[in-house]
């Protein structure tokens, strides 16, 4: 079973992402050879705090027990910014919204999740620093003649936030 720890983004962010994806889709369909992008469904939008990976179903209950006690964090807001790409702006494989505010609090949550899962044999935790983002879509086929930086810059992301009041 594929397992990860995540924070919900809320309905206001879902509405803004729907608007942004619609604008991006229109701009990408207008190019001569459009890319194939698989967009994340609005209901599935989330911020991954810790990707755990493939875990045997029998281990999932143990992970749930370790993560069930509330994580003590003061309520905060995630403020989203413009569209970014992985691995590069000229040849993206993933499109995402980045975080202006709230990254430090998300990193605190990630550190506590890692602390709770340390030593669990079934889990191999990634030591990479958390780069909080909201994946919008994944580019499955690149298309041709696409000026990604120009297209992405032309799509404005309106001010939108996610309230985090419990973990």
């Amino acid at each position: 079973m594929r397992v990860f720890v995540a924070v919900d983004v809320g309905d206001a962010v879902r509405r803004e992402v729907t608007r942004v994806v619609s604008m991006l889709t229109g701009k990408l369909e207008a190019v001569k050879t459009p890319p194939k992008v698989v967009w994340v469904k609005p209901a599935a939008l989330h911020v991954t705090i810790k990707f755990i990976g493939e875990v045997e179903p029998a281990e999932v209950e143990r992970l749930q027990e370790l993560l069930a006690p509330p994580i003590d964090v003061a309520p905060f807001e995630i403020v989203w910014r413009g569209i970014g790409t992985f691995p590069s702006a000229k040849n993206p494989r993933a499109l995402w919204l980045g975080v202006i505010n709230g990254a430090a609090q998300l990193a605190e949550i990630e550190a506590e999740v890692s602390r709770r899962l340390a030593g669990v044999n079934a889990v191999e935790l990634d030591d990479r620093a958390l780069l909080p983002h909201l994946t919008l879509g994944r580019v499955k086929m690149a298309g041709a003649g696409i000026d990604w930086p120009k297209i992405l810059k032309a799509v404005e992301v309106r001010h939108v936030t996610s309230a985090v009041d419990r973990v």
Side-chain angles (χ1 to χ4, degrees):
M1 178 180 298
R2 188 176 169 106
V3 176
F4 58 92
V5 178
V7 171
D8 186 46
V9 296
D11 290 336
V13 174
R14 286 186 179 83
R15 285 189 298 273
E16 178 61 7
V17 166
T18 299
R19 187 189 69 78
V20 166
V21 165
S22 177
M23 291 179 66
L24 283 171
T25 300
K27 291 184 180 305
L28 293 171
E29 287 175 350
V31 301
K32 186 174 182 179
T33 308
K36 178 171 176 25
V37 180
V38 176
W39 301 106
V40 176
K41 291 178 175 48
L45 291 168
H46 64 273
V47 181
T48 300
I49 298 296
K50 181 59 93 178
F51 180 74
I52 297 171
E54 292 295 326
V55 175
E56 292 297 321
E59 290 293 324
V60 172
E61 188 173 322
R62 169 85 174 121
L63 296 177
Q64 288 174 321
E65 289 172 6
L66 292 169
L67 296 171
I71 294 175
D72 188 25
V73 61
F76 66 98
E77 279 193 338
I78 301 170
V79 179
W80 300 98
R81 67 171 174 89
I83 303 168
T85 60
F86 291 134
S88 73
K90 291 188 177 185
N91 189 22
R93 297 196 56 205
L95 307 173
W96 48 267
L97 292 185
V99 173
I100 290 178
N101 292 331
Q105 294 94 328
L106 291 169
E108 289 175 24
I109 295 168
E110 186 273 336
E112 176 61 15
V113 168
S114 293
R115 187 191 67 70
R116 291 182 185 193
L117 297 180
V120 176
N121 291 335
V123 176
E124 288 186 37
L125 297 178
D126 191 342
D127 288 337
R128 289 183 286 178
L130 177 69
L131 177 59
H133 65 278
L134 179 60
T135 301
L136 303 176
R138 291 173 183 79
V139 180
K140 297 299 184 181
M141 290 178 26
I146 302 164
D147 186 344
W148 281 101
K150 181 179 177 183
I151 287 173
L152 297 177
K153 190 175 181 178
V155 177
E156 180 186 350
V157 177
R158 295 178 184 152
H159 178 80
V160 66
T161 64
S162 297
V164 180
D165 59 5
R166 66 188 175 283
V167 178

